[in-house]
Amino acid sequence: MLRDGLVSIPWYKWMFAGTHDRAYEQIREMKAYAAAHGIRFTVVPLPAGSAYGGEGTYALDAMYDDIDRFLSAEGLLGRDARTDMAAPAYYDPSDHLTAAGNERMVAVLSKVVAP
């Protein structure tokens, strides 16, 4: 479901590669702050709509699997929303969430915030 060049899988991979180390460092900082203040901390990466392909494929699986491994290694509760957010109606052509996508993500987050 690549969308007319407005977003691209190579761009997402480039962005992840360039911010990977700093993003993980910041997650560790947030985890430490939350722990020091008795706050439960959870990470739910938002899938990229343009990465969904036919037959249940997701072009950024390796990136999201890396995030999942990092969260597990850090002992962080995470939620993989790839399956939950797989409908094309959840994304506009620029890969931002539509109203339906926002509603669906709220439902996903509510399972994490108030399980």
Side-chain angles (χ1 to χ4, degrees):
M1 176 167 94
L2 292 174
R3 308 226 169 116
D4 302 327
L6 292 176
V7 292
S8 70
I9 300 311
W11 181 84
Y12 281 111
K13 289 179 179 181
W14 171 80
M15 180 64 73
F16 183 70
T19 62
H20 175 274
D21 294 340
R22 180 66 182 131
Y24 286 178
E25 179 183 322
Q26 289 177 322
I27 291 172
R28 286 185 188 104
E29 291 170 8
M30 288 183 272
K31 173 188 167 188
Y33 179 88
H37 292 86
I39 300 167
R40 196 173 103 209
F41 181 61
T42 303
V43 178
V44 181
L46 177 63
S50 60
Y52 291 100
E55 316 255 339
T57 62
Y58 188 76
L60 297 173
D61 274 337
M63 186 175 80
Y64 281 83
D65 292 344
D66 185 87
I67 294 168
D68 288 341
R69 281 189 300 276
F70 166 77
L71 295 175
S72 291
E74 289 295 315
L76 286 169
L77 175 63
R79 168 111 178 150
D80 184 340
R82 285 177 280 188
T83 301
D84 298 301
M85 298 300 296
Y90 295 154
Y91 303 91
D92 70 15
S94 68
D95 240 5
H96 290 88
L97 294 177
T98 61
N102 280 308
E103 289 176 13
R104 180 64 177 155
M105 196 61 187
V106 167
V108 170
L109 292 171
S110 70
K111 293 175 185 175
V112 175
V113 174

